[in-house]
Amino acid sequence: KQEVTQIPAALSVPEGENLVLNCSFTDSAIYNLQWFRQDPGKGLTSLLLIQSSQREQTSGRLNASLDKSSGRSTLYIAASQPGDSATYLCAVSKAAGNKLTFGGGTRVLVKP
Amino acid sequence: DAGVTQSPTHLIKTRGQQVTLRCSPISGHKSVSWYQQVLGQGPQFIFQYYEKEERGRGNFPDRFSARQFPNYSSELNVNALLLGDSALYLCASSLGPSGANVLTFGAGSRLTVL
């Protein structure tokens, strides 16, 4: 059974500092890995999707890496801003379907 | 173009009641999935439907049921509500059920059970 873990559960950084969010999964037989952003009480916004054959994906200030063999992914957010405050979730899918298994999320607070 | 729409956005029920949540997928998407997100946790998979047939079911009791209509919209029903059913219920749609098809999520329906 796939298990996804995100550590830490919460972190607080001053504005301008780089953010590093970690995600680990127990079964390396994944099809892809996604990072989502969730604002309080809202739905999920997809940030980055990494196919299992890829090592990283970049979008603006966001960069996500994937090491499938070790079951790890890292999301980097450069030069954090107060607007980056949200919960960040990672999720993995298997090739047989697009059912997602989510981690518990990391709640981020960027202080002005 | 409209995204995934869910209704109602918020609702309050009492224990033992029944609730129906609705989801309209993105135009052209034929697969709908439902997830439950309890406060402070990540979403958990409940159901997936494709072409009106159930394609997957998570570890939820039989009080949870769903269906998909010919226009690909979907309903999630929960009977005999428990306090623990209080959660954000998320609907996601995709072109199909395979791993190559990315899910797009709606804003969710917030259910409070008193």
Side-chain angles (χ1 to χ4, degrees), chain A residues 9 16 30 51 55-56 62 75 80-83 86-87 99 104:
Chain A
I30 65 169
Q51 301 289 353
R55 298 284 291 184
E56 66 176 343
L62 277 59
L75 177 66
S80 62
Q81 304 167 359
T87 295
K99 168 195 154 186

Side-chain angles (χ1 to χ4, degrees), chain A residues 62-102:
Chain A
L62 277 59
N63 174 276
S65 66
L66 174 64
D67 184 342
K68 203 173 76 163
S69 60
S70 67
R72 293 180 183 175
S73 177
T74 302
L75 177 66
Y76 301 89
I77 303 177
S80 62
Q81 304 167 359
D84 295 328
S85 298
T87 295
Y88 293 83
L89 295 150
C90 72
V92 298
S93 70
K94 299 195 73 169
N98 57 6
K99 168 195 154 186
L100 294 177
T101 301
F102 283 86

Side-chain angles (χ1 to χ4, degrees), chain B residues 21-67:
Chain B
L21 308 177
R22 297 175 177 82
C23 172
S24 293
I26 290 173
S27 178
H29 284 193
K30 299 181 178 181
S31 179
V32 170
S33 301
W34 287 94
Y35 287 78
Q36 180 197 63
Q37 186 178 25
V38 174
L39 193 63
Q41 298 181 18
Q44 284 200 307
F45 172 76
I46 311 175
F47 284 110
Q48 181 178 50
Y49 276 78
Y50 175 65
E51 293 281 14
K52 295 170 286 180
E53 292 190 359
E54 182 182 304
R55 295 295 293 263
R57 182 186 183 111
N59 188 23
F60 281 82
D62 291 344
R63 299 184 296 107
F64 288 76
S65 64
R67 55 179 174 168

